[in-house]
Amino acid sequence: MDIGPGSLSRLNHIGFSVDQIDYLFLSHLHPDHTLDLITLLQVFNSAPETVRQKKFTIIGCRGCNEFLLHIYDLYPDVFPSGYSLEIREVYRDEFLLGDLRVQSGPTAHTESSVAFRLEEGGHSLVYSGDASQQGELTRLASGADLLVSECSFPAGWQTEDHLNADEVGLIAQASNVKSLVVTHLYPPALRVDLLSQIHQHYQGKAQIAVDGLRLSLE
Ligand SMILES: [Zn+2]
Ligand SMILES: [Zn+2]
């Protein structure tokens, strides 16, 4: 989900190969969530031993098709050469990918930004992307096993297009998620005890994401 700068090198570092990736979920198109898409497409076309032949699917916010056309304008060499790339734009949607149930809903960070909920075998994961309080994250996350949420700012910070620790705690509590992982921390959020601020509102398990973190829903 999302593919900001450094994603591919971090995946490689923990032993994932790009040919294990068949689906990419894009919450919105800001560079901190998309820059390594260009690298990924380049790798699919030309990296030794990983030249792609099987289909690749992007499930993303409205505007993904146009965004890809801009990428091809800038970097013609990354246009898919040996494989097909399918793009499915979503907003407030629900559908199945095999046994995986996918739901999306607006987060009001940008006009088209979405959060995703994935469910399979009775387990559920929700990823906020970037979000604001005006979005539908609480509804989407209702009862989920795990909410991975942005928490850009500390408690009390005024923000129109991101979440602060108060808002994340309130959303996690209102949606009654079993556990919470926060990510996308801007420097002011790194200078405080963010988890204590979140726990002012949310009684469940919470942690701050780090590179290479592996989580189990079992
Ligand atoms: Zn953003
Ligand atoms: Zn962001």
Side-chain angles (χ1 to χ4, degrees), residues 22-192:
D22 291 324
Y23 294 94
L24 172 65
F25 293 81
L26 288 181
S27 65
H28 66 300
L29 303 174
H30 284 161
D32 56 325
H33 298 253
T34 56
L35 272 184
D36 257 6
L37 175 57
I38 297 162
T39 319
L40 182 67
L41 296 177
Q42 183 185 23
V43 168
F44 281 165
N45 272 0
S46 52
E49 296 177 356
T50 56
V51 171
R52 191 174 186 95
Q53 293 176 316
K54 58 181 175 173
K55 186 173 89 171
F56 185 67
T57 303
I58 295 175
I59 295 161
C61 62
R62 292 171 179 166
C64 273
N65 279 292
E66 195 184 344
F67 182 68
L68 265 291
L69 295 179
H70 289 310
I71 289 178
Y72 301 148
D73 271 348
L74 277 171
Y75 301 105
D77 289 348
V78 307
F79 184 86
S81 56
Y83 67 100
S84 66
L85 195 159
E86 183 183 310
I87 298 170
R88 179 169 188 161
E89 294 188 1
V90 297
Y91 191 60
R92 198 180 280 110
D93 284 280
E94 182 170 355
F95 53 93
L96 285 171
L97 287 179
D99 292 332
L100 184 71
R101 177 170 296 281
V102 179
Q103 283 177 268
S104 60
T107 65
H109 167 67
T110 67
E111 211 170 278
S112 59
S113 63
V114 290
F116 291 103
R117 180 184 181 116
L118 306 183
E119 282 187 65
E120 187 175 350
H123 298 293
S124 49
L125 158 70
V126 176
Y127 168 61
S128 69
D130 285 354
S132 88
Q133 217 182 7
Q134 283 71 46
E136 299 180 11
L137 187 57
T138 303
R139 176 187 65 78
L140 202 68
S142 178
D145 292 315
L146 172 64
L147 168 61
V148 178
S149 178
E150 74 122 303
C151 187
S152 295
F153 296 110
W157 193 283
Q158 294 301 308
T159 171
E160 292 295 313
D161 57 358
H162 280 289
L163 297 175
N164 67 33
D166 289 320
E167 293 163 339
V168 171
L170 289 167
I171 288 169
Q173 186 67 21
S175 57
N176 198 27
V177 294
K178 288 193 190 130
S179 63
L180 169 70
V181 172
V182 292
T183 184
H184 201 284
L185 279 58
Y186 285 152
L190 294 168
R191 293 195 288 265
V192 300

